């Protein structure tokens, strides 16, 4: 049994459609399905058929570790490379979700010049659930992610972080690559991010 969720789409300049999200695993048990989710990316031709030249018959499944992974946003670089941004659960702790970014070549193969073999990871806060809601590319190729950190029993806090174009966290941004916002006593969640023409970053949520 396979199930999945599409969380984002993007259209390439040639009209092909990229659909990103989650693919579930084999056994229709809620626990097993949950524990085996992976990043999923599919490319669809402009006529609605799967693009067989992309990945494996039009689809790519990327596994971080042996627990749930979820791609939230898909981005297309000017050079045609494709970025998936989301979160995954670490093997080291069932309570720790980590920010994850994957970059592919236009044919769907992993870009080994990015992060470690195409996969970049960043866990700025230990033992916290971290969720990516949005991502944007800067003109210089850096990748900005926005979401929230679950800090039970304290209120959730918004977070923004930035990767360099090679998949390494940008230590010049915020506090060692990230910034957490705590503006009140209630839960906070950044749900969208925009890059202004002057380079300023705007969060909404």
């Amino acid at each position: 049994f396979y199930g999945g969720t599409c969380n984002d789409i993007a259209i390439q300049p040639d009209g092909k459609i990229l659909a990103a999200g989650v693919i579930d695993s084999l056994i229709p048990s809620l626990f097993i399905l949950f524990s085996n989710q992976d990043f999923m990316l599919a490319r669809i031709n402009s006529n609605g058929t799967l693009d067989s030249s992309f990945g494996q018959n039009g689809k790519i499944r990327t596994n971080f570790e042996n627990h749930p992974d979820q791609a939230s946003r898909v981005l297309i670089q000017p050079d045609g490379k494709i970025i998936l941004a989301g979160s995954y659960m670490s093997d080291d702790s069932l309570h720790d979700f980590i920010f994850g970014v994957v970059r592919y070549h236009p044919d769907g193969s992993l870009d080994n010049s990015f992060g470690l073999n195409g996969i970049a990871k960043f866990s700025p806060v230990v033992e916290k659930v971290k969720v990516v809601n949005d991502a944007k590319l800067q003109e210089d190729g850096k990748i900005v992610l926005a979401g929230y950190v679950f800090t039970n029993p304290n209120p959730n806090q918004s977070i923004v972080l930035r990767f360099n174009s090679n998949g390494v966290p940008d230590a010049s941004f915020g506090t060692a690559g990230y910034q957490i916002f705590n503006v009140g006593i209630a839960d906070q969640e950044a749900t969208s991010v925009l890059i202004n023409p002057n380079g300023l970053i705007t969060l909404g949520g």
Side-chain angles (χ1 to χ4, degrees):
F1 176 86
Y2 283 91
T5 302
C6 179
N7 291 327
D8 196 25
I9 60 173
I11 300 178
Q12 297 184 165
D14 60 4
K16 292 183 179 181
I17 303 165
L18 294 168
V22 180
I23 187 71
D24 292 326
S25 275
L26 295 172
I27 303 172
S29 155
L30 290 178
F31 177 76
I32 297 299
L33 284 177
F34 179 75
S35 66
N36 287 280
Q37 293 172 333
D38 294 327
F39 275 30
M40 187 67 183
L41 180 64
R43 189 161 72 190
I44 302 164
N45 294 313
S46 56
N47 64 359
T49 59
L50 280 172
D51 180 4
S52 60
S53 69
F54 183 74
Q56 295 183 339
N57 298 316
K59 296 172 287 186
I60 304 168
R61 180 175 186 154
T62 302
N63 178 43
F64 279 78
E65 296 183 6
N66 296 314
H67 298 289
D69 312 325
Q70 178 167 303
S72 302
R73 288 292 179 265
V74 56
L75 306 171
I76 303 171
Q77 294 187 171
D79 62 2
K81 291 182 179 181
I82 301 161
I83 292 171
L84 285 188
S87 307
Y88 73 97
M89 184 181 284
S90 168
D91 281 345
D92 297 330
S93 171
L94 295 180
H95 302 289
D96 188 15
F97 272 80
I98 296 173
F99 296 114
V101 180
V102 185
R103 190 164 73 190
Y104 308 94
H105 291 291
D107 65 358
S109 60
L110 285 169
D111 178 7
N112 291 329
S113 69
F114 183 81
L116 180 61
N117 299 321
I119 297 175
K121 304 175 180 180
F122 190 27
S123 183
V125 185
V126 178
E127 293 300 324
K128 306 291 183 184
V129 174
K130 309 166 195 69
V131 176
V132 173
N133 287 323
D134 200 10
K136 291 291 188 298
L137 275 172
Q138 295 186 169
E139 289 187 358
D140 60 4
K142 293 183 178 182
I143 308 159
V144 178
L145 277 60
Y148 71 93
V149 178
F150 179 68
T151 56
N152 186 45
N154 300 315
N156 297 344
Q157 299 176 340
S158 294
I159 187 170
V160 59
L161 59 148
R162 189 164 71 188
F163 286 88
N164 291 313
S165 58
N166 62 357
V168 175
D170 182 2
S172 70
F173 182 77
T175 303
Y178 71 97
Q179 187 66 51
I180 290 178
F181 299 93
N182 184 10
V183 287
I185 61 173
D187 287 337
Q188 303 147 52
E189 180 174 350
T191 55
S192 59
V193 59
L194 293 175
I195 310 298
N196 296 6
N198 59 5
L200 293 176
I201 298 168
T202 302
L203 297 181

